[in-house]
Amino acid sequence: MRFFVDTYSNPELEGQGEGFKYGVTNCYLELEYPVNDYFLVIYYIPRNSNYLVIATCWERAFDEILENLDNPDYLETISETFPFLSQLLYNGFKEKYSEGALIQLEDFDTGEPKWFLISVSGNVNLENPEQIFGNKTNKVAELVIEKSLELLQELNENEPNLVNLFLKKAARGVTAVGILAIASWLGIDLNDTRTSPFKVL
């Protein structure tokens, strides 16, 4: 599964929607939106017959934090330097998924654990495309994209060298200027995502 901002299109996505490509596997639906010179990648992952996890993939970006949970000085530094990241991790630990949360899930393509920024949409008839892509689900997808861009901006602004360590090759070619260009194109104010008019989905 792919990092949520890619510089390459996935040639295996054969479905074509209005302004996006998509592909379906046994485990998830992958959607890809072209934005300027980038591609936004978002996943719809069914968890039961009427429950969707909507997610962006962050590879193994935050494994180091898990490895240092018993180091209070390290955790304090992370909390002070990356307050938004810390809030998303807290939401994940407390299962506050509706607000956007970082959790580990299995990458269905490789079987390895990866980080995903998620929210959830319940009471969705997964056999009805109008519900899968309806207003309720779209609002959840909007939140996930906004939170993902805000997190990437925070990482770039506060510790760009650490971003390279975190993301390794996953976000190759995605610069701070690129993040802002994507957000601007989508109509997202990264200084106040609560009022974002994101309407691409």
Side-chain angles (χ1 to χ4, degrees):
M1 299 171 78
R2 303 156 64 199
F3 184 69
F4 92 100
V5 180
D6 205 343
T7 51
Y8 298 95
S9 178
N10 182 357
E12 297 181 2
L13 301 183
E14 297 181 351
Q16 184 67 54
E18 186 174 349
F20 65 93
K21 293 169 60 179
Y22 66 90
V24 180
T25 74
N26 291 331
C27 300
Y28 61 79
L29 171 68
E30 178 180 330
L31 289 82
E32 177 188 275
Y33 290 84
V35 180
N36 292 345
D37 295 326
Y38 301 98
F39 299 90
L40 298 185
V41 182
I42 189 165
Y43 293 97
Y44 287 25
I45 307 170
R47 303 305 282 184
N48 56 38
S49 60
N50 64 353
Y51 180 79
L52 275 176
V53 170
I54 299 179
T56 55
C57 179
W58 288 77
E59 299 288 337
R60 304 296 296 272
F62 310 113
D63 285 359
E64 184 178 338
I65 295 176
L66 280 186
E67 296 166 2
N68 286 276
L69 289 179
D70 58 349
N71 184 340
D73 292 336
Y74 176 88
L75 295 179
E76 182 178 358
T77 299
I78 291 294
S79 179
E80 292 176 352
T81 308
F82 305 105
F84 189 68
L85 165 63
S86 300
Q87 182 64 54
L88 292 171
L89 288 167
Y90 176 83
N91 290 350
F93 290 135
K94 293 296 185 177
E95 299 184 355
K96 300 169 67 174
Y97 303 139
S98 64
E99 302 175 18
L102 275 169
I103 65 171
Q104 281 193 313
L105 295 172
E106 177 185 351
D107 182 324
F108 297 108
D109 295 337
T110 65
E112 66 177 323
K114 289 185 178 179
W115 289 94
F116 291 83
L117 198 163
I118 74 157
S119 189
V120 296
S121 183
N123 296 319
V124 178
N125 182 349
L126 300 182
E127 296 182 359
N128 184 340
E130 291 184 0
Q131 287 198 22
I132 294 174
F133 299 105
N135 289 336
K136 179 182 176 181
T137 303
N138 284 351
K139 287 182 179 179
V140 177
E142 292 169 15
L143 180 144
V144 170
I145 290 291
E146 291 172 2
K147 299 290 186 183
S148 297
L149 287 171
E150 189 172 352
L151 175 58
L152 191 57
Q153 184 192 42
E154 179 181 80
L155 295 173
N156 271 286
E157 287 182 347
N158 289 291
E159 197 66 55
N161 291 331
L162 191 58
V163 171
N164 293 331
L165 175 64
F166 272 169
L167 303 181
K168 298 179 181 177
K169 296 181 180 179
R172 62 190 183 280
V174 182
T175 65
V177 173
I179 297 166
L180 293 175
I182 293 168
S184 176
W185 191 88
L186 295 174
I188 295 175
D189 180 0
L190 288 175
N191 294 316
D192 185 7
T193 58
R194 294 169 299 179
T195 61
S196 166
F198 176 71
K199 297 296 182 185
V200 170
L201 294 177

